[in-house]
């Protein structure tokens, strides 16, 4: 399952990366587009304005020429002028009408009139006669004059720019002729009127003003970085240039917003960086939480050891044959002895603290390359790697048991605990983990069965035993379903009178092959296989039915601790008693002390329930384990049965007599009667009688016998009885 969350986290990381990348790309693309647009806007605005200025300047030049041309036409295509220049007084007339005005006339400042031979008749500049011949206008002057004579009346008269010693001039010429062209006249004979106008800084300034072209200049060459319009000479060569700087309104507008744009750019970059940063942090956090959840998924939160998933994953790594390099992997399953009792008696907080403390010692005991896991509850696993065949000396199991043997101090309590260990080996990594775990489990099971503090190595023979066990289990199931468990009864003898006062029911399994299996074997199987409730109730019902024939005898029935855990136990016993029509006061339920330790609350509830309906409860096998006299009183037992081992010890151990005596005396002081079990000799019978036991049981009096035999004994003792009952 954690794999899914991991890949989910990885997907989320990718998604974050993708979203951040897309965002940054889109933002960058938008920024690029906007920057491009602004650049285009800027250059387009600049171009448009340059174009406008170019047109305006060209228009200004054109206007200057048109104005000059119009002035020339007005003055040259004039009947009076024609008449006057062809008269002898022409010079005076020209001076008076044209030349003198050149002093301060805005449209021209130079007036020249030439005759048909192109020889100057009058040449004035600024109202005074020109000293020099107008040859200074170069050869182009002749071309201009010829053009003026050749031009048709409807056409524009020639006007051009020219360079003179004074500077750049606008110069034009028109043949002096009648207003209406007289075709009989030879054009070559015409006088020609020439006007020129020096392009002074004032003229430039006026053009600059009226055409809104800032910083307009007249220059001989186009200047770098400035726009220019050529001033064409007569022979179409460039005589000079009007130049001006580009206004570049786009660039200027751009400069105005440049600061803002830079700020915006900086903000965008900052924004993108923070997105990248946030994305990075998110991914890092995701990665961190992925690692954390991976850790969580593979570790036990209480102890910090690996959990089952972690064990499997680590095992897969170390058991790789290549990595193992000729070594063997050993899997140890460890189960604490008596942990359940600690939990029940001291509570879960202490239980947890103990688990943590055990994990500590486990860690400290780990050899190199080994790792430990907590599989749940009080179960641990340790995987060790060691040389093939070579055993650790002392073995890890031994060392761990030694490590756990010393007392744990928890919350001021001294707690003693041990462990059972099952070990399975995989040489060269040849055994798969599932099989290895199964083997370690079986070995642990064995170790537990053998008692406390055992380490058992798995042996293949275990599998055969397990097979047999499984076979037995299935046979027992079949027998139980057929109601095939039978019951024998062992008489209970009154210590004083020697009379039979009761019987204890003891279960027997007669198998189909004729063998009889005792309860010490099959009760355990039934408990493990979950068949104990069924078995217990079968024995009870059968015993109640049989004992109905012996109204004067009490009936003792053994109950497994597991049955007391069944919440419906009291209810089921009540129903069985009612169905059998049995007097509950004649029934004694025998329970062993183990139930008091493992589950005191449930035991108390069941015992109380039984006592409420009149059934008596006896503590069985007293002295074989740990039960104290105190628990006799605490649970309100009606009787105590001293274990056979205590009685058997009598003949070998002087002390045993004293222990038995003290035990019985204490029970008697609490007014709890005591049965002595396993009496085989007269000496034992005398000893327990003297100790104060009021009831005796053992082979000395009778082995467990069938119901029919009880009936026979009973009928021999009692005058009247019904012998019709049988246990089967
Ligand atoms: P227990 O309750 O202590 O029963 C007495 C056991 O001691 C019986 O063994 C009996 O045959 C044996 N015994 C009696 N007198 C002597 C003697 O003088 N010498 C020796 N050596 N043994 C003697 P059994 O029948 O094999 O039962 C063994 C145990 O199985 C019982 O011990 C009881 O704890 C359990 N058990 C028997 N029947 C049932 C049952 O129906 N349900 C449950 N849960 N347990 C049962
Ligand atoms: Ca018993
Ligand atoms: Ca017993």
């Amino acid at each position: 399952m954690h794999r899914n969350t991991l890949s989910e986290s990885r997907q989320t990381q990718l998604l974050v990366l993708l979203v951040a990348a897309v965002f940054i790309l889109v933002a960058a693309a938008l920024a690029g587009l906007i920057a491009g647009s602004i650049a285009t806007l800027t250059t387009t605005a600049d171009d448009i304005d340059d174009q406008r200025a170019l047109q305006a300047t060209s228009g200004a030049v054109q206007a200057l020429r048109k104005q000059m041309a119009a002035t020339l036409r007005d003055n040259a295509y004039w009947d009076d002028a024609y008449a006057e220049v062809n008269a002898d007084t022409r010079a005076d007339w020209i001076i008076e009408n044209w030349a003198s005005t050149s002093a301060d006339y805005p449209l021209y400042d130079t007036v020249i009139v030439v005759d048909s031979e192109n020889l100057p008749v009058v040449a004035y500049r600024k109202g005074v006669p020109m000293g020099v011949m107008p040859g200074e206008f170069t050869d182009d002057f002749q071309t201009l004059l010829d053009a003026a004579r050749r031009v048709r009346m409807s056409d524009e008269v020639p006007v051009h720019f020219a360079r003179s010693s004074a500077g750049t001039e606008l110069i034009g010429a028109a043949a002096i002729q009648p207003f209406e062209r007289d075709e009989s006249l030879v054009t070559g004979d015409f006088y020609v009127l020439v006007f020129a106008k020096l392009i002074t800084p004032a003229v430039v300034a006026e053009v600059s003003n009226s055409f809104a072209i800032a910083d307009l200049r007249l220059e001989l060459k186009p200047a770098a970085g400035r726009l220019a319009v050529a001033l064409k000479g007569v022979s179409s060569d460039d005589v000079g240039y009007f130049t001006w700087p580009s206004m570049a309104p786009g660039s200027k507008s751009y400069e105005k917003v440049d600061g803002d744009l830079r700020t915006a750019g900086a903000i965008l970059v900052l924004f993108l960086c923070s997105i990248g940063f946030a994305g990075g942090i998110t991914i890092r956090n995701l990665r961190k939480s992925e690692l954390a959840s991976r850790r969580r998924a593979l570790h036990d939160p209480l102890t910090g050891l690996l959990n089952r998933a972690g064990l499997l994953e680590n095992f897969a790594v170390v058991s790789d044959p290549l990595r193992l390099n000729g070594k063997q992997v050993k899997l140890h399953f460890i189960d604490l002895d008596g942990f359940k009792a600690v939990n029940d008696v001291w509570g879960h907080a202490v239980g947890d603290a103990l688990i943590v403390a055990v994990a500590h010692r486990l860690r400290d005991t780990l050899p190199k390359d080994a790792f430990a896991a907590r599989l749940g509850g009080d179960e641990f696993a340790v995987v060790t790697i060691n040389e093939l065949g070579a055993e650790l000396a002392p073995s890890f199991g031994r060392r761990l048991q030694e490590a756990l043997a010393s007392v744990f101090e928890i919350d001021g309590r001294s707690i003693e605990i041990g462990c059972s260990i099952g070990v399975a080996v995989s040489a060269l990594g040849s055994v798969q983990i599932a099989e290895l775990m199964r083997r370690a489990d079986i070995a642990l099971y064995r170790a537990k069965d053998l008692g406390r503090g055992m380490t058992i190595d798995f042996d293949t023979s275990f599998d055969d035993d397990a097979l047999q066990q499984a076979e037995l289990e299935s046979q027992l199931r079949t027998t139980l379903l057929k109601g095939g468990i039978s019951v024998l009864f062992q008489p209970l003898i009154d210590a004083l009178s020697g009379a039979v006062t009761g019987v204890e029911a003891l279960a027997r399994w007669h198998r189909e092959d004729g063998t009889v299996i005792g309860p010490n074997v099959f009760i355990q199987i039934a408990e493990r296989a979950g068949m104990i409730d069924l078995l217990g109730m079968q024995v009870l019902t059968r015993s109640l039915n049989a004992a109905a024939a012996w109204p004067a005898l009490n009936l003792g029935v053994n109950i497994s601790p597991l049955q007391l855990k069944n919440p419906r136990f009291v209810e089921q016993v009540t129903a069985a008693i009612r169905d059998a029509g049995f007097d509950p006061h004649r029934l004694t339920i025998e329970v062993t002390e183990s139930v008091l330790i493992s589950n005191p609350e449930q035991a108390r509830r069941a015992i109380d329930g039984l006592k409420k309906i009149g059934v008596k409860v006896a503590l069985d096998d007293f002295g074989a384990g740990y039960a104290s006299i105190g628990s006799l009183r605490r649970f309100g037992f009606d009787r105590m049965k001293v274990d056979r081992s205590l009685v058997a010890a009598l003949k070998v151990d002087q002390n045993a007599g004293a222990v038995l005596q003290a035990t019985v005396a204490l029970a008697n002081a609490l007014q709890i009667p005591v049965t002595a079990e396993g009496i085989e000799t007269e000496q034992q019978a005398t000893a327990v009688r003297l100790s104060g036991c009021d009831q005796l049981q053992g082979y000395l009096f009778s082995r467990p016998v069938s119901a029919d035999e009880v009936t026979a004994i009973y009928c021999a003792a009692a005058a009247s009885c019904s012998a019709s009952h049988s246990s089967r």
Side-chain angles (χ1 to χ4, degrees), residues 308-325:
R308 189 174 290 270
L311 174 80
L312 291 176
E313 195 158 309
N314 276 29
F315 186 87
V317 175
V318 301
S319 65
D320 182 338
L322 286 177
R323 227 188 122 109
L324 214 48
N325 194 21

Side-chain angles (χ1 to χ4, degrees), residues 548-559:
W550 322 311
L553 298 186
N554 285 315
L555 172 66
V557 177
N558 295 287
I559 288 300

Side-chain angles (χ1 to χ4, degrees), residues 504 590 620-621 641 643 677:
E504 176 178 0
E590 298 187 6
D620 208 353
D621 300 346
K641 297 185 77 171
D643 191 61
E677 292 183 319

Side-chain angles (χ1 to χ4, degrees), residues 331 333 379 422-424 435-447 458:
L331 176 63
F333 271 180
E379 285 172 44
V423 188
E435 171 62 10
L436 203 61
M437 285 176 100
R438 188 188 70 84
R439 291 184 183 178
D441 207 32
I442 290 175
L444 174 62
Y445 206 74
R446 286 263 166 159
F458 177 83

Side-chain angles (χ1 to χ4, degrees), residues 372-628:
R374 178 177 175 226
L375 303 181
D378 59 342
E379 285 172 44
F380 297 85
V382 168
V383 173
T384 58
I385 315 282
N386 29 53
E387 297 301 330
L388 199 56
E391 293 313 314
L392 290 176
S395 79
F396 170 70
R398 268 276 294 291
R399 287 201 293 138
L400 180 61
Q401 267 159 349
E402 277 162 18
L404 295 188
S406 51
V407 171
F408 287 89
E409 297 288 346
I410 288 166
D411 279 2
R413 301 183 178 94
S414 300
I415 297 176
E416 277 186 62
I417 202 148
C419 70
S420 303
I421 305 176
V423 188
V425 183
S426 169
L428 306 169
S430 54
V431 183
Q432 295 295 302
I433 180 66
E435 171 62 10
L436 203 61
M437 285 176 100
R438 188 188 70 84
R439 291 184 183 178
D441 207 32
I442 290 175
L444 174 62
Y445 206 74
R446 286 263 166 159
K448 282 253 143 202
D449 262 4
L450 288 175
R452 294 164 164 251
M454 299 293 290
T455 297
I456 298 291
D457 288 291
F458 177 83
D459 189 286
T460 41
S461 70
F462 290 3
D463 275 344
D464 305 339
D465 295 359
L467 259 179
Q468 279 175 15
Q469 205 70 15
E471 176 65 20
L472 270 182
E473 189 183 308
S474 102
Q475 284 177 10
L476 179 62
R477 193 180 301 274
T478 319
T479 308
L480 264 177
L481 290 177
K482 283 194 294 195
I485 296 294
S486 62
V487 185
L488 296 185
F489 298 91
Q490 186 173 32
L492 302 168
I493 311 299
D494 183 83
L496 293 178
S497 66
V500 176
T501 53
V503 288
E504 176 178 0
L506 296 162
R508 290 292 180 269
W509 178 13
H510 294 268
R511 293 169 75 209
E512 274 166 11
D513 61 5
T515 55
V516 180
I517 295 183
N520 285 334
V521 176
F522 70 82
I523 293 295
Q524 229 177 26
I525 296 176
E527 283 176 344
R528 280 181 196 163
M531 301 185 285
I532 191 64
D533 284 333
L534 182 58
L535 188 148
M537 289 317 291
Q538 239 174 60
V539 170
L540 178 67
T541 309
R542 189 143 294 156
S543 309
L544 287 173
N545 287 339
W550 322 311
L553 298 186
N554 285 315
L555 172 66
V557 177
N558 295 287
I559 288 300
S560 155
L562 288 183
Q563 285 179 267
L564 287 192
K565 286 191 181 174
N566 177 357
R568 299 189 53 214
F569 174 66
V570 175
E571 186 187 323
Q572 286 170 351
V573 171
T574 310
I577 291 172
R578 192 187 50 231
D579 291 350
F582 198 82
D583 173 8
H585 295 95
R586 283 174 56 206
L587 179 63
T588 302
I589 294 293
E590 298 187 6
V591 295
T592 56
E593 62 188 9
S594 63
V595 77
L596 312 180
I597 295 167
S598 66
N599 236 324
E601 274 318 303
Q602 272 175 327
R604 178 190 292 277
R605 229 173 293 132
I607 290 170
D608 287 351
L610 290 173
K611 289 177 69 103
K612 213 168 273 171
I613 58 169
V615 174
K616 294 190 184 66
V617 183
L619 178 60
D620 208 353
D621 300 346
F622 189 89
Y626 309 89
S628 64

Side-chain angles (χ1 to χ4, degrees), residues 29-72:
L30 284 178
L33 279 175
I34 289 170
S37 305
I38 290 174
T40 311
L41 273 178
T42 306
T43 51
T44 309
D46 286 355
D47 287 351
I48 288 173
D49 193 69
D50 286 352
Q51 218 57 45
R52 178 203 66 83
L54 216 59
Q55 274 171 9
T57 312
S58 301
V61 170
Q62 212 57 36
L64 283 174
R65 290 177 60 188
K66 283 242 167 79
Q67 195 179 41
M68 177 62 84
T71 310
L72 277 166

